[in-house]
Amino acid sequence: MSADLRRALPVDQIAPTMQDALDRWAQVQDVLRAADERFQSDPTAGVKLGAGELLAPLPRAYAWIDCGAYPYPMELLAQLQGTESPDPAGAVRPPFFDGVGQFIASGEPLSTLGSAELDIEAELAFVLADVELGASAKEAGRAIVGITVVNDISLRDVLRTDLGAGKGIYHAKPLSSMAPTIVTPDELGEAWDGELLHAQMHSWINDRPLGHPDTSVDIAVTVPELVAQAARTRPLSAGTVLGTGTVSNRDPGVGTACIAETRMRETLAHGAARTKFLTPGDEITIDLRVGDESVAGALRHTIVRDSPTRPDSAGDQHRYRDDRRSQSVTNRVTTPIPPASAGSSPRYP
């Protein structure tokens, strides 16, 4: 795919879906890289893309694992509650959560789902090849084949109520959304040092900056170590997506990557929160950048008022649409596969 996301090269003869490419990554990565090099050298190659033509790169992943690798939000929460700050030694073993392995595409509207406290969580995410049970950090690092962004949507009022009742986070975590592309680590040059990504997670609400924290700052452990911890008691299948948790820096000058953290900072500084949660009509943008360059393409959504509906129901804002394009991977970013023929179902991993 071109860097401006306006052209793409279909590679279904190499790998018909992203998941197929991940399943056979050792066999197809060099072939995909060669195809990408030819494509990038010919400005007339490939097919043109219009706005809103892409599904999430992995519309249905085998697993979505979210963790809390940035400890500062928990330190803020302890300050608000007047409790002892978490032991820094415990931060090197962050919590892990199983999420919903379906991802909404950029451009799809996001429903409030009846929540009065809809929030974004801008997360750095890594797409994995197979990781064996008990893999070392070095072995886990070799399984990192792609980097993207996930908006781990949270319903804060549901979360507060359900945690208070001892019910866990299940209903507070609806479908997340994923950036338009997945980038192979080699494309990022020195920004990816094999352990951390040195980039900034930019977020805007109605064109107002929420923040731009650095993904390599104030993270408790390296990414390969996170993957190894996730595989401590289970193997991870190719196509697993691992999120670092909401990017968070202690420096107040860089802002935040979620509304809840902004509100905690405001309450501590001013005695009350000033930033509102998302409401219908709000527009959000999330873009991971190295300098001025977008890493995986911007995530953009408009908030709508809606109630939960069946995923296959007519009009559901999270449906998988036939006119969007399922994707498979190249060296630079993902490349679309032409849409399914009329009357057939779109091809998904």
Side-chain angles (χ1 to χ4, degrees):
M1 182 175 286
S2 61
D4 60 9
L5 308 187
R6 293 180 179 179
R7 288 186 305 118
L9 178 69
V11 291
D12 45 334
Q13 76 281 8
I14 301 172
T17 64
M18 174 73 81
Q19 184 59 53
D20 180 74
L22 294 168
D23 286 336
R24 300 184 297 115
W25 188 249
Q27 290 75 43
V28 303
Q29 61 173 318
D30 290 341
V31 183
L32 288 169
R33 183 171 287 108
D36 181 65
E37 289 173 354
R38 293 191 298 272
F39 168 69
Q40 299 295 346
S41 66
D42 182 357
T44 65
V47 296
K48 292 183 179 180
L49 293 175
E53 284 197 81
L54 299 176
L55 287 170
L58 279 172
R60 295 189 297 203
Y62 275 120
W64 159 236
I65 302 173
D66 189 18
C67 69
Y70 295 90
Y72 188 56
M74 297 309 296
E75 296 174 19
L76 287 174
L77 183 60
Q79 292 180 48
L80 276 176
Q81 296 177 338
T83 58
E84 187 176 347
S85 293
D87 182 358
V92 298
R93 286 197 173 273
F96 289 81
F97 310 95
D98 283 322
V100 183
Q102 300 177 47
F103 293 97
I104 302 165
S106 177
E108 293 282 0
L110 297 183
S111 170
T112 60
L113 298 170
S115 172
E117 298 181 7
L118 179 67
D119 197 359
I120 66 170
E121 291 189 24
E123 300 197 14
L124 180 60
F126 295 85
V127 180
L128 307 177
D130 287 316
V131 182
E132 293 186 359
L133 169 68
S136 67
K138 184 176 181 179
E139 292 167 334
R142 289 197 291 265
I144 297 170
V145 300
I147 297 171
T148 190
V149 176
V150 166
N151 175 20
D152 182 36
I153 301 161
S154 290
L155 312 179
R156 299 296 182 188
D157 45 357
V158 177
L159 181 66
R160 184 172 55 252
T161 299
D162 284 5
L163 285 179
K167 296 180 180 180
I169 68 172
Y170 180 88
H171 291 293
K173 290 292 185 179
L175 300 187
S176 298
S177 59
M178 183 180 285
T181 68
I182 295 170
V183 181
T184 52
D186 58 292
E187 280 294 311
L188 299 174
E190 295 181 355
W192 170 249
D193 62 13
E195 293 191 337
L196 297 172
L197 178 64
H198 301 266
Q200 294 73 47
M201 187 68 77
H202 293 260
S203 302
W204 295 265
I205 299 175
N206 299 325
D207 295 326
R208 175 179 173 271
L210 187 64
H212 56 276
D214 192 307
T215 57
S216 65
V217 174
D218 296 328
I219 187 170
V221 294
T222 68
V223 176
E225 178 59 29
L226 280 178
V227 178
Q229 288 189 35
R232 184 165 64 93
T233 59
R234 68 182 77 175
L236 307 179
S237 299
T240 293
V241 182
L242 175 71
T244 58
T246 310
V247 180
S248 175
N249 295 169
R250 290 181 174 84
D251 179 4
V254 301
T256 74
C258 75
I259 296 172
E261 182 179 337
T262 297
R263 289 171 60 88
M264 286 193 290
R265 290 175 183 253
E266 291 170 343
T267 300
L268 289 169
H270 309 295
R274 298 176 176 180
T275 301
K276 297 180 180 180
F277 287 105
L278 299 172
T279 57
D282 285 341
E283 296 182 348
I284 64 170
T285 303
I286 300 171
D287 195 10
L288 178 67
R289 295 180 180 178
V290 175
D292 294 329
E293 301 257 339
S294 179
V295 171
L299 260 171
R300 293 185 173 90
H301 298 290
T302 299
I303 309 305
V304 297
R305 188 184 307 279
D306 203 349
S307 58
T309 56
R310 290 175 56 86
D312 58 350
S313 64
D316 179 32
Q317 75 277 16
H318 300 334
R319 67 195 183 279
Y320 297 128
R321 292 171 18 188
D322 286 357
D323 60 344
R324 287 178 176 259
R325 299 173 185 243
S326 186
Q327 303 173 21
S328 61
V329 74
T330 69
N331 188 42
R332 174 64 182 90
V333 286
T334 55
T335 55
I337 295 169
S341 59
S344 66
S345 298
R347 292 171 288 183
Y348 301 120

